[in-house]
Amino acid sequence: MRAIFLNEKIIMLAILLNIVILFLLSFDELSSYFLWFDLTDHLLTVFFLIEMIIKIQSFGWKMYIRSTWNRLDFLVIVLTSPSVVLYFFQIPNLTLLIVFRILRLAKFFRFLKFVPNLDQILKGVTRSLKASVFIFAAFFLYCVIVSLFTCYLFKDFAPQYFGNAFRSFYTIFRLFTLEGWDEIPDMFIRSKVASMPYILISTIYFVVLVISGGIFGLSIVNAIFIDEMISDNNKELEIRITALEHKIDLLLEQLDEG
């Protein structure tokens, strides 16, 4: 029996089943099956609780908690286990009930440890964030400057987009991500108040913004971030090439001596 709870493949299947159950619970059309879905979800929670207890008994608390993934498992199980109590006892506080239901979703995070090479991916992301912090700061500053300038330029004409600095920043960020970038220029074109020169200048202005921030700005940020992500692989390849060149040089020297 203990082998079942120490088998990572079985644990992965249990987590996948739990994800499917929580996914089905989001459909109101399946409300007639909610009782069974809830029961299965709580049984799986108990299963994970027993798994944690057995692992602590098998490895010892110090060895168990030393693992980052075990710490995540422990936190998720502690947070989600109280939901089992709600299945047997009626809690009058509806807010508490909703909180525990939301915490059940934390079990999704347990599946992360089964993602292949996740540790390397996380290390690459961390390295990229550290290396790209200045380019992120520069891009953010550019967004702030442009949003302030655009706010004072168009706040009276389009307050729903540029009514204040925060709203203007959000609109500029949307433009830079190319999300509905054409809506604002179209608004100026359809306007009956704005004159033709004003429409022309504003349209050119927003096109320049999209090109500078959306096409070039974000492309540069993405390029630097991705370059840092794969730099570790490039370094490993460079080391192998250097070692290969060294072996070739030694072989050529031996041939010359011979």
Side-chain angles (χ1 to χ4, degrees), residues 151 154-156 158-165 167-168:
C151 173
F154 297 109
K155 68 181 300 184
D156 294 329
Q160 68 273 30
Y161 293 112
F162 308 106
N164 55 55
R167 190 177 298 172
S168 179

PDB file of all heavy atoms in Angstrom, residues 151 154-156 158-165 167-168:
ATOM      1  N   CYS A 151      -1.445  61.532 -22.841  1.00  0.00           N
ATOM      2  CA  CYS A 151      -2.527  61.914 -21.933  1.00  0.00           C
ATOM      3  C   CYS A 151      -2.851  63.402 -22.075  1.00  0.00           C
ATOM      4  O   CYS A 151      -4.013  63.776 -22.268  1.00  0.00           O
ATOM      5  CB  CYS A 151      -2.141  61.580 -20.497  1.00  0.00           C
ATOM      6  SG  CYS A 151      -3.299  62.190 -19.242  1.00  0.00           S
ATOM      7  N   PHE A 154      -4.352  64.179 -25.719  1.00  0.00           N
ATOM      8  CA  PHE A 154      -5.660  63.706 -26.172  1.00  0.00           C
ATOM      9  C   PHE A 154      -6.680  63.508 -25.045  1.00  0.00           C
ATOM     10  O   PHE A 154      -7.745  62.952 -25.286  1.00  0.00           O
ATOM     11  CB  PHE A 154      -5.495  62.371 -26.919  1.00  0.00           C
ATOM     12  CG  PHE A 154      -4.684  62.460 -28.166  1.00  0.00           C
ATOM     13  CD1 PHE A 154      -3.404  61.912 -28.221  1.00  0.00           C
ATOM     14  CD2 PHE A 154      -5.177  63.078 -29.297  1.00  0.00           C
ATOM     15  CE1 PHE A 154      -2.647  61.978 -29.372  1.00  0.00           C
ATOM     16  CE2 PHE A 154      -4.430  63.155 -30.457  1.00  0.00           C
ATOM     17  CZ  PHE A 154      -3.153  62.610 -30.500  1.00  0.00           C
ATOM     18  N   LYS A 155      -6.378  63.911 -23.829  1.00  0.00           N
ATOM     19  CA  LYS A 155      -7.285  63.635 -22.702  1.00  0.00           C
ATOM     20  C   LYS A 155      -8.660  64.284 -22.879  1.00  0.00           C
ATOM     21  O   LYS A 155      -9.669  63.720 -22.470  1.00  0.00           O
ATOM     22  CB  LYS A 155      -6.655  64.064 -21.384  1.00  0.00           C
ATOM     23  CG  LYS A 155      -6.474  65.561 -21.209  1.00  0.00           C
ATOM     24  CD  LYS A 155      -5.804  65.894 -19.865  1.00  0.00           C
ATOM     25  CE  LYS A 155      -6.637  65.392 -18.700  1.00  0.00           C
ATOM     26  NZ  LYS A 155      -6.067  65.786 -17.390  1.00  0.00           N
ATOM     27  N   ASP A 156      -8.711  65.455 -23.489  1.00  0.00           N
ATOM     28  CA  ASP A 156     -10.002  66.133 -23.676  1.00  0.00           C
ATOM     29  C   ASP A 156     -10.805  65.512 -24.811  1.00  0.00           C
ATOM     30  O   ASP A 156     -12.038  65.486 -24.763  1.00  0.00           O
ATOM     31  CB  ASP A 156      -9.790  67.629 -23.948  1.00  0.00           C
ATOM     32  CG  ASP A 156      -9.201  68.352 -22.752  1.00  0.00           C
ATOM     33  OD1 ASP A 156      -9.494  67.919 -21.618  1.00  0.00           O
ATOM     34  OD2 ASP A 156      -8.451  69.321 -22.953  1.00  0.00           O
ATOM     35  N   ALA A 158     -10.389  62.216 -26.018  1.00  0.00           N
ATOM     36  CA  ALA A 158     -10.701  60.795 -25.776  1.00  0.00           C
ATOM     37  C   ALA A 158     -10.442  60.453 -24.317  1.00  0.00           C
ATOM     38  O   ALA A 158      -9.500  59.731 -23.987  1.00  0.00           O
ATOM     39  CB  ALA A 158      -9.870  59.902 -26.689  1.00  0.00           C
ATOM     40  N   PRO A 159     -11.270  60.974 -23.393  1.00  0.00           N
ATOM     41  CA  PRO A 159     -11.039  60.721 -21.958  1.00  0.00           C
ATOM     42  C   PRO A 159     -11.177  59.262 -21.574  1.00  0.00           C
ATOM     43  O   PRO A 159     -10.600  58.826 -20.582  1.00  0.00           O
ATOM     44  CB  PRO A 159     -12.121  61.585 -21.287  1.00  0.00           C
ATOM     45  CG  PRO A 159     -13.166  61.778 -22.333  1.00  0.00           C
ATOM     46  CD  PRO A 159     -12.445  61.816 -23.632  1.00  0.00           C
ATOM     47  N   GLN A 160     -11.947  58.476 -22.348  1.00  0.00           N
ATOM     48  CA  GLN A 160     -12.102  57.057 -22.032  1.00  0.00           C
ATOM     49  C   GLN A 160     -10.796  56.288 -22.225  1.00  0.00           C
ATOM     50  O   GLN A 160     -10.604  55.214 -21.660  1.00  0.00           O
ATOM     51  CB  GLN A 160     -13.209  56.420 -22.876  1.00  0.00           C
ATOM     52  CG  GLN A 160     -12.919  56.303 -24.365  1.00  0.00           C
ATOM     53  CD  GLN A 160     -13.294  57.554 -25.154  1.00  0.00           C
ATOM     54  OE1 GLN A 160     -13.237  58.650 -24.611  1.00  0.00           O
ATOM     55  NE2 GLN A 160     -13.687  57.369 -26.394  1.00  0.00           N
ATOM     56  N   TYR A 161      -9.883  56.844 -23.029  1.00  0.00           N
ATOM     57  CA  TYR A 161      -8.588  56.212 -23.267  1.00  0.00           C
ATOM     58  C   TYR A 161      -7.442  56.946 -22.568  1.00  0.00           C
ATOM     59  O   TYR A 161      -6.467  56.320 -22.136  1.00  0.00           O
ATOM     60  CB  TYR A 161      -8.275  56.151 -24.767  1.00  0.00           C
ATOM     61  CG  TYR A 161      -9.182  55.227 -25.543  1.00  0.00           C
ATOM     62  CD1 TYR A 161     -10.087  55.736 -26.473  1.00  0.00           C
ATOM     63  CD2 TYR A 161      -9.139  53.855 -25.362  1.00  0.00           C
ATOM     64  CE1 TYR A 161     -10.923  54.903 -27.200  1.00  0.00           C
ATOM     65  CE2 TYR A 161      -9.970  53.004 -26.077  1.00  0.00           C
ATOM     66  CZ  TYR A 161     -10.858  53.539 -26.995  1.00  0.00           C
ATOM     67  OH  TYR A 161     -11.684  52.706 -27.711  1.00  0.00           O
ATOM     68  N   PHE A 162      -7.542  58.270 -22.485  1.00  0.00           N
ATOM     69  CA  PHE A 162      -6.424  59.069 -21.985  1.00  0.00           C
ATOM     70  C   PHE A 162      -6.863  60.072 -20.922  1.00  0.00           C
ATOM     71  O   PHE A 162      -6.256  61.136 -20.765  1.00  0.00           O
ATOM     72  CB  PHE A 162      -5.759  59.819 -23.155  1.00  0.00           C
ATOM     73  CG  PHE A 162      -5.378  58.938 -24.305  1.00  0.00           C
ATOM     74  CD1 PHE A 162      -6.127  58.958 -25.483  1.00  0.00           C
ATOM     75  CD2 PHE A 162      -4.310  58.074 -24.214  1.00  0.00           C
ATOM     76  CE1 PHE A 162      -5.788  58.147 -26.550  1.00  0.00           C
ATOM     77  CE2 PHE A 162      -3.966  57.251 -25.276  1.00  0.00           C
ATOM     78  CZ  PHE A 162      -4.706  57.279 -26.452  1.00  0.00           C
ATOM     79  N   GLY A 163      -7.919  59.755 -20.168  1.00  0.00           N
ATOM     80  CA  GLY A 163      -8.469  60.679 -19.181  1.00  0.00           C
ATOM     81  C   GLY A 163      -7.526  61.002 -18.043  1.00  0.00           C
ATOM     82  O   GLY A 163      -7.567  62.091 -17.479  1.00  0.00           O
ATOM     83  N   ASN A 164      -6.648  60.065 -17.681  1.00  0.00           N
ATOM     84  CA  ASN A 164      -5.627  60.313 -16.661  1.00  0.00           C
ATOM     85  C   ASN A 164      -4.385  59.511 -17.016  1.00  0.00           C
ATOM     86  O   ASN A 164      -4.389  58.726 -17.975  1.00  0.00           O
ATOM     87  CB  ASN A 164      -6.142  59.955 -15.261  1.00  0.00           C
ATOM     88  CG  ASN A 164      -6.659  58.530 -15.182  1.00  0.00           C
ATOM     89  OD1 ASN A 164      -5.943  57.588 -15.510  1.00  0.00           O
ATOM     90  ND2 ASN A 164      -7.908  58.365 -14.770  1.00  0.00           N
ATOM     91  N   ALA A 165      -3.323  59.721 -16.252  1.00  0.00           N
ATOM     92  CA  ALA A 165      -2.037  59.101 -16.579  1.00  0.00           C
ATOM     93  C   ALA A 165      -2.109  57.580 -16.537  1.00  0.00           C
ATOM     94  O   ALA A 165      -1.525  56.896 -17.382  1.00  0.00           O
ATOM     95  CB  ALA A 165      -0.962  59.608 -15.627  1.00  0.00           C
ATOM     96  N   ARG A 167      -4.816  55.598 -16.932  1.00  0.00           N
ATOM     97  CA  ARG A 167      -5.619  55.107 -18.054  1.00  0.00           C
ATOM     98  C   ARG A 167      -4.841  55.237 -19.359  1.00  0.00           C
ATOM     99  O   ARG A 167      -4.907  54.361 -20.227  1.00  0.00           O
ATOM    100  CB  ARG A 167      -6.927  55.889 -18.123  1.00  0.00           C
ATOM    101  CG  ARG A 167      -7.957  55.319 -19.094  1.00  0.00           C
ATOM    102  CD  ARG A 167      -9.244  56.118 -19.031  1.00  0.00           C
ATOM    103  NE  ARG A 167      -9.829  56.030 -17.686  1.00  0.00           N
ATOM    104  CZ  ARG A 167     -10.873  56.758 -17.298  1.00  0.00           C
ATOM    105  NH1 ARG A 167     -11.431  57.639 -18.129  1.00  0.00           N
ATOM    106  NH2 ARG A 167     -11.363  56.620 -16.083  1.00  0.00           N
ATOM    107  N   SER A 168      -4.106  56.315 -19.489  1.00  0.00           N
ATOM    108  CA  SER A 168      -3.299  56.511 -20.688  1.00  0.00           C
ATOM    109  C   SER A 168      -2.192  55.464 -20.776  1.00  0.00           C
ATOM    110  O   SER A 168      -1.913  54.932 -21.859  1.00  0.00           O
ATOM    111  CB  SER A 168      -2.688  57.915 -20.669  1.00  0.00           C
ATOM    112  OG  SER A 168      -1.879  58.115 -21.801  1.00  0.00           O
TER     113      SER A 168
END
